[in-house]
Amino acid sequence: MSADSEVLTYPNWVFSMFAFIGFLLSIIPLPWHLEAWNTGTCLFMIWTGLACLNQFINSIIWNGNVINWAPVWCDISTRFMIGSAVAIPAASLCINRRLYYIATANAVTITKSERRRAVLVDLGIGIGIPVLEMVLQYIDQGHRFNIFEDIGCYPFTYNTWVAYVVDVTWPLAIGCVSAVYCLLSIRSFNKRRAQFKELLSANNNLNSNRYFRLMCLAATEILCTIPLSCWSIYLNVTSQPIQPWKGWDDTHSDFSRVGQYPSVIWHLDKGTAISLETSRWFVIFCSMVFFAYFGFADEARKNYRAAIDSVAKRVGLSTGGSFGSTLWSSTG
C-alpha cells in the first residue's frame, strides 16, 4: 500500500463493538418515546438502530473474508442500506416539520384528527420515501451487490446520470428541505417567544427542554447530512467517469454478478476506502449524537431508575436514595 493511498486502519472488532453499542444506544430510549408518540424521533431511533445492527452483523460475518456466505441476506442488507441512507435524513425532516408547525401554530389546542394526520404524514415521509428509494435504486443497480472484506455486503449503483436522479442526490435534497424548516422554526421562535410556552402546553409530550434537544438533534443531522451528501456526489463524479445511460438491458446485462474485494484491494483506492468507512461509521455517529441529546435527559433518568427498581424487586433487592447514588441492601 502506497503512502498516498494509505488510510487509517484499525482492528475490525473495534467497529463491530461500536456498531453494537450504537444499536443499544438507539434502542434504549425507544419505549418511552413510543409512549409519547414522537413519530419523527421514533423513526430516527428505529432506522439508526437497525442500520447499526445491520452493519454489526455484516462486520461479524465477513470479518477477514469475502466469501458469499449468505446471498439472500446480502440482498436484504444492501436494500436496507439504500433505504436507511435516505431514512435518517427523512426522520430528521419529520422532526423539523413538527418543530416548525409548533412554532407557527395559531391555535393552542390540537385535535385528535390533526394529531392523527400529522402521524400519517410523518410515516409517509419517514417510511414511504425510503421504501420508494429502495425500489427506484433497482433501476440503476448494475449488479447484485459487492462484498468488501471486514465491511460485508454493499450495494452497487452504476454511475450514470440516472443514478443521480433516483439515488445519489436524495439525501442532499431531503437535507436542504429539512434545513429550510429548521431555519423557519428558529425565525418563528424568535418572533413568538411570548407565546412559546403556551404553544408547548398544547403538546402534552413536549416541553421546552425536549423541544430544544430535538432542534439540536435535527440541526446536527443537517450539518452532517448536507456536507457528506455533497462530498459523496463529488466522489462519484470525480472518482470515475459518468457513463451514458443505454437502457435497462445494458445496465442489467450482468446483474447476477457479485463483486468480492479483499481488504488489501479496496484499501488501495483512498477514495473508495474513505467512502466505505465514512458511510458505515456515520450511522454509529448518529446513534451517539441521539443518545448524547436524549440519553441523559430527565425522562431518561426517570426511566432508568424505574428499570433498576423493577430489576431489583425481581432479584429481592431494594433501592433507596437518588439515582446514581443508590445504596443497595438485601431484603431476604
Side-chain angles (χ1 to χ4, degrees), residues 41-318:
T41 314
C42 292
L43 289 172
F44 191 97
M45 282 185 284
I46 292 170
W47 280 109
T48 303
L50 292 179
C52 289
L53 182 62
N54 181 44
Q55 297 283 15
F56 167 74
I57 294 172
N58 280 333
S59 69
I60 294 295
I61 296 175
W62 283 279
N63 181 43
N65 74 89
V66 291
I67 299 172
N68 191 8
W69 302 104
V72 175
W73 163 258
C74 279
D75 288 331
I76 298 170
S77 175
T78 54
R79 195 58 53 191
F80 181 83
M81 288 181 189
I82 294 294
S84 62
V86 173
I88 294 174
S92 178
L93 173 58
C94 293
I95 295 172
N96 273 307
R97 282 184 71 259
R98 185 188 182 200
L99 299 180
Y100 168 73
Y101 285 118
I102 290 173
T104 58
N106 293 320
V108 174
T109 57
I110 300 174
T111 64
K112 289 184 177 179
S113 61
E114 289 174 335
R115 290 179 179 174
R116 191 182 304 113
R117 190 183 310 115
V119 170
L120 293 176
V121 172
D122 285 344
L123 292 176
I125 295 172
I127 297 179
I129 292 179
V131 170
L132 177 62
E133 170 64 6
M134 293 180 196
V135 175
L136 290 177
Q137 192 269 345
Y138 182 70
I139 296 173
D140 212 52
Q141 184 180 349
H143 58 257
R144 193 169 176 183
F145 52 83
N146 291 329
I147 296 177
F148 295 93
E149 183 181 350
D150 296 335
I151 292 177
C153 313
Y154 208 83
F156 175 78
T157 302
Y158 191 35
N159 193 30
T160 68
W161 66 265
V162 176
Y164 295 86
V165 176
V166 302
D167 182 28
V168 179
T169 58
W170 279 51
L172 176 60
I174 294 172
C176 290
V177 174
S178 190
V180 171
Y181 274 113
C182 185
L183 293 174
L184 291 176
S185 297
I186 294 172
R187 189 182 70 172
S188 299
F189 168 73
N190 288 331
K191 287 183 176 180
R192 307 176 65 183
R193 289 187 180 183
Q195 293 178 275
F196 189 68
K197 289 185 178 180
E198 186 179 6
L199 291 169
L200 286 181
S201 66
N203 293 268
N204 297 328
N205 300 316
L206 190 65
N207 53 39
S208 59
N209 287 332
R210 184 177 289 182
Y211 183 94
F212 289 117
R213 288 198 303 271
L214 285 171
M215 183 168 286
C216 289
L217 171 66
T220 303
E221 195 278 330
I222 292 169
L223 291 175
C224 294
T225 295
I226 293 178
L228 283 175
S229 298
C230 293
W231 182 60
S232 176
I233 294 171
Y234 170 78
L235 285 180
N236 284 334
V237 172
T238 58
S239 63
Q240 54 184 322
I242 299 177
Q243 304 296 325
W245 169 258
K246 297 181 181 180
W248 181 275
D249 292 336
D250 177 75
T251 301
H252 296 84
S253 59
D254 191 21
F255 187 78
S256 61
R257 181 170 68 89
V258 174
Q260 294 164 285
Y261 303 94
S263 177
V264 67
I265 298 298
W266 63 262
H267 271 101
L268 287 174
D269 188 332
K270 184 177 180 180
T272 299
I274 293 176
S275 179
L276 291 171
E277 292 288 3
T278 302
S279 63
R280 73 170 184 162
W281 278 97
F282 178 69
V283 294
I284 298 175
F285 172 76
C286 288
S287 69
M288 291 185 174
V289 168
F290 179 86
F291 194 80
Y293 285 129
F294 290 93
F296 305 101
D298 292 339
E299 70 270 20
R301 294 197 297 269
K302 178 181 176 181
N303 282 279
Y304 298 154
R305 176 60 186 274
I308 290 174
D309 288 345
S310 177
V311 172
K313 290 178 181 178
R314 291 178 182 273
V315 299
L317 298 174
S318 63

